[in-house]
Amino acid sequence: MNRPTNPGRRRFLARAVLASSAALLAGCDQLSRSDAMRQLFDATGALTQRAQRLLASRESLAREYTPDDIAPTFRANGTTNPQDETYRRLAANGFRDWRLTIDGLVERPRSFSLDELRAMPARTQITRHDCVEGWSCIGQWTGVVLSDLLAQVGVRDEARFVVFHCADSYRGTDRYYESLDMLEAYHPQTLMAYGLNGSDLPIANGAPLRLRAERQLGYKMAKYVMRVELVESFAHFGRGRGGYWEDRGYQWWAGI
Ligand SMILES: Nc1nc2c(c(=O)[nH]1)N[C@H]1C(S)=C(S)[C@@H](COP(=O)(O)O)O[C@H]1N2
Ligand SMILES: [Mo]
């Protein structure tokens, strides 16, 4: 595919690709879904390797569904009603005292109340959740794009992973946690979700805030998130494999 292109056309292509990725980051569903860009590239017949790579990463957005596809009740799995003392206290008060802490390798560590998160630009997406146990469920998620939150605290160059610390100890054993690399963390569909199907996130599904990493299997999507920590390595968390289920043999990379 490496045909010689004249500089004018190359500049045009570069601008077109930048425009499409900017629209994508802004959460523009229409454009991210349309085939207009691809047709444009086909027509010019000058798809450079660079443009191809950008298109490939655009296409690795998880599929989004229509409201008709939403399951009447979103199935819950794993912890569905945390009994942990701190969580019970926060839940009893409607999460008014709950705060999300973001710290670790960031310039400006801080915490956010639920109202502060709700006041930020929101993204809503209808996606399919796939659990390794062999079931899937389609739901509509609303939340803050994780990359927007990370921009507020300023990620330091040494950060390589984001660790999500949860409020629950699954089956009364170790505290649930998970981790993503920076590419998944900055993905435009990676959300810290506080809404499901147009309502507040139910406790069964991770209230008040849970991770949605739509290109990953269900166990990556930490529920009851209390703290987001930027780290260089996750070797010193749990048993060192990057997540509650990873510590029990599941793959850390759970891409689908
Ligand atoms: N904190 C926490 N997060 C969790 C779990 C859990 O037990 N605790 N279970 C995981 C698994 S295996 C799945 S499939 C999904 C289930 O999400 P749901 O209850 O909304 O269906 O949450 C994931 N995140
Ligand atoms: Mo799961």
Side-chain angles (χ1 to χ4, degrees):
M1 253 324 194
N2 264 328
R3 293 189 206 172
T5 50
N6 65 48
R9 174 179 281 174
R10 227 180 292 134
R11 266 198 304 277
F12 166 74
L13 277 173
R15 264 203 310 274
V17 167
L18 276 178
S20 83
S21 49
L24 184 64
L25 286 170
C28 177
D29 286 337
Q30 284 88 329
L31 215 133
S32 70
R33 283 218 196 117
S34 93
D35 279 328
M37 291 302 297
R38 197 206 314 234
Q39 277 160 17
L40 174 70
F41 286 123
D42 287 347
T44 62
L47 193 57
T48 64
Q49 213 172 358
R50 221 180 127 70
Q52 207 168 15
R53 228 179 263 140
L54 275 163
L55 272 183
S57 72
R58 176 173 77 85
E59 281 172 352
S60 72
L61 278 177
R63 177 169 168 198
E64 293 192 17
Y65 294 78
T66 69
D68 288 343
D69 300 319
I70 297 172
T73 352
F74 196 89
R75 186 168 165 170
N77 197 39
T79 303
T80 53
N81 191 13
Q83 292 306 308
D84 308 72
E85 183 56 33
T86 308
Y87 185 85
R88 299 266 20 115
R89 193 169 33 77
L90 292 167
N93 192 24
F95 301 108
R96 275 181 287 278
D97 299 325
W98 174 94
R99 293 187 80 84
L100 174 73
T101 299
I102 308 188
D103 61 3
L105 298 172
V106 299
E107 304 292 349
R108 299 170 297 278
R110 61 164 282 195
S111 70
F112 297 81
S113 69
L114 209 46
D115 283 345
E116 285 170 332
L117 295 178
R118 288 206 174 101
M120 288 180 64
R123 182 183 160 90
T124 293
Q125 59 199 22
I126 302 174
T127 53
R128 196 185 72 197
H129 177 107
D130 296 316
C131 171
V132 273
E133 290 167 19
W135 56 271
S136 299
C137 206
I138 294 176
Q140 182 194 61
W141 303 98
T142 300
V144 183
V145 177
L146 179 57
S147 71
D148 287 350
L149 271 176
L150 295 179
Q152 294 230 350
V153 295
V155 173
R156 283 171 37 192
D157 289 346
E158 314 90 87
R160 290 189 55 213
F161 302 98
V162 185
V163 175
F164 302 86
H165 298 282
C166 306
D168 62 312
S169 314
Y170 184 57
R171 289 186 180 147
T173 57
D174 301 337
R175 196 56 63 85
Y176 203 97
Y177 77 105
E178 257 304 337
S179 59
L180 296 179
D181 63 19
M182 299 311 296
L183 212 69
E184 287 302 302
Y186 283 126
H187 188 273
Q189 289 170 315
T190 298
L191 307 185
M192 297 312 295
Y194 47 73
L196 171 60
N197 298 341
S199 303
D200 287 353
L201 187 61
I203 285 188
N205 305 104
L209 194 74
R210 69 100 50 90
L211 172 66
R212 295 300 308 170
E214 305 293 358
R215 302 190 299 183
Q216 302 279 321
L217 286 168
Y219 63 87
K220 298 297 290 187
M221 305 200 216
K223 306 195 285 188
Y224 319 110
V225 176
M226 303 291 291
R227 179 179 173 207
V228 171
E229 187 182 4
L230 281 287
V231 299
E232 215 172 334
S233 154
F234 48 69
H236 56 290
F237 298 101
R239 302 180 196 167
R241 303 263 169 83
Y244 179 93
W245 283 113
E246 288 87 331
D247 284 341
R248 287 154 181 82
Y250 286 17
Q251 295 294 309
W252 179 79
W253 179 253
I256 36 182

